[in-house]
Amino acid sequence: DAGVIQSPRHEVTEMGQEVTLRCKPISGHNSLFWYRQTMMRGLELLIYFNNNVPIDDSGMPEDRFSAKMPNASFSTLKIQPSEPRDSAVYFCASSLEGVGYGYTFGSGTRLTVV
Amino acid sequence: KQEVTQIPAALSVPEGENLVLNCSFTDSAIYNLQWFRQDPGKGLTSLLLIQSSQREQTSGRLNASLDKSSGRSTLYIAASQPGDSATYLCAVGTGANSKLTFGKGITLSVRP
């Protein structure tokens, strides 16, 4: 298995633009997590899905952020409009049966909003 | 609210030294605890997963222990090597379907 695949690896965009981050989880994993990592705040969970259904989105910072999981093999995290404070590394992770069985992380998308 | 603390933030040791990385958490009602490794510019790699009913887990030169009552975990690295240089993060899960709460990590440098 190729692991959790995220795209793009790097994204530079101007403030106000829409940004879409993509994730393909490991085949057979039924939980998917989006995290954001910054120097100040470390790793924060934004949202997670179980069997394609959003379970906990309490970490989504505000209405500018939205996430979807239309099927078991694909998820998107969208920011519209983007702001400089959204600059961070965004990680996607997947697991089987939620947190009880460990996570596999993708390589992340480094987002810079100028 | 669960809080996870890892101190110090950075550590430098000579090659061959045995070392211990510490993690503390405020709520002892945890489901499990994981240690991850993160290399610069990379994602996180799971090293060890300890369920709440377990006291320790071992993988090669790594040993992780868990003391729920005191809210602490340690990651022991034996005979450290330059290739062990990375950031090590501790994460606590508070339920089978709840989020992991991460510490900010300890950046380890092993000097040849």
Side-chain angles (χ1 to χ4, degrees):
Chain A
D1 199 320
V4 177
I5 299 172
Q6 291 186 247
S7 64
R9 288 297 310 275
H10 302 275
E11 177 80 32
V12 180
T13 190
E14 292 185 346
M15 181 174 63
Q17 296 297 306
E18 177 179 297
V19 175
T20 299
L21 311 181
R22 297 172 177 78
C23 175
K24 176 178 169 55
I26 289 177
S27 177
H29 281 191
N30 61 351
S31 293
L32 183 140
F33 307 81
W34 282 101
Y35 280 84
R36 178 172 67 177
Q37 186 177 39
T38 61
M39 287 293 292
M40 287 293 294
R41 301 173 68 92
L43 267 165
E44 302 172 288
L45 179 69
L46 300 177
I47 185 171
Y48 85 90
F49 296 84
N50 187 250
N51 294 321
N52 311 339
V53 175
I55 301 300
D56 182 354
D57 65 354
S58 59
M60 296 286 262
E62 48 200 272
D63 292 345
R64 297 184 299 105
F65 285 69
S66 63
K68 293 182 179 180
M69 190 164 186
N71 57 61
S73 59
F74 184 66
S75 176
T76 60
L77 178 68
K78 184 177 295 186
I79 308 172
Q80 165 65 14
S82 57
E83 297 182 3
R85 61 191 168 119
D86 301 331
S87 297
V89 181
Y90 291 81
F91 286 103
C92 175
S94 70
S95 75
L96 183 60
E97 299 290 340
V99 301
Y101 291 82
Y103 285 20
T104 301
F105 275 79
S107 297
T109 294
R110 181 173 296 277
L111 173 65
T112 303
V113 183
V114 299
Chain B
K1 177 185 173 186
Q2 179 73 270
E3 293 183 2
V4 181
T5 303
Q6 294 183 255
I7 296 173
L11 186 63
S12 180
V13 301
E15 182 177 4
E17 188 164 301
N18 300 325
L19 59 104
V20 173
L21 306 181
N22 294 306
C23 170
S24 62
F25 46 93
T26 54
D27 186 348
S28 62
I30 69 170
Y31 190 78
N32 58 27
L33 184 144
Q34 286 184 238
W35 282 92
F36 292 86
R37 168 181 173 144
Q38 185 174 28
D39 292 287
K42 304 290 187 182
L44 281 72
T45 300
S46 181
L47 297 174
L48 290 164
L49 168 66
I50 310 177
Q51 303 292 355
S52 63
S53 59
Q54 298 174 322
R55 299 283 295 192
E56 65 177 344
Q57 284 286 333
T58 298
S59 175
R61 293 183 295 109
L62 305 179
N63 175 275
S65 67
L66 173 63
D67 184 343
K68 282 199 311 178
S69 62
S70 66
R72 295 194 305 178
S73 175
T74 61
L75 178 66
Y76 174 82
I77 302 176
S80 58
Q81 303 170 357
D84 295 330
S85 299
T87 297
Y88 292 82
L89 296 102
C90 166
V92 172
T94 52
N97 286 308
S98 70
K99 63 185 179 182
L100 287 180
T101 302
F102 280 83
K104 291 192 175 179
I106 298 173
T107 297
L108 172 66
S109 174
V110 180
R111 307 186 301 272

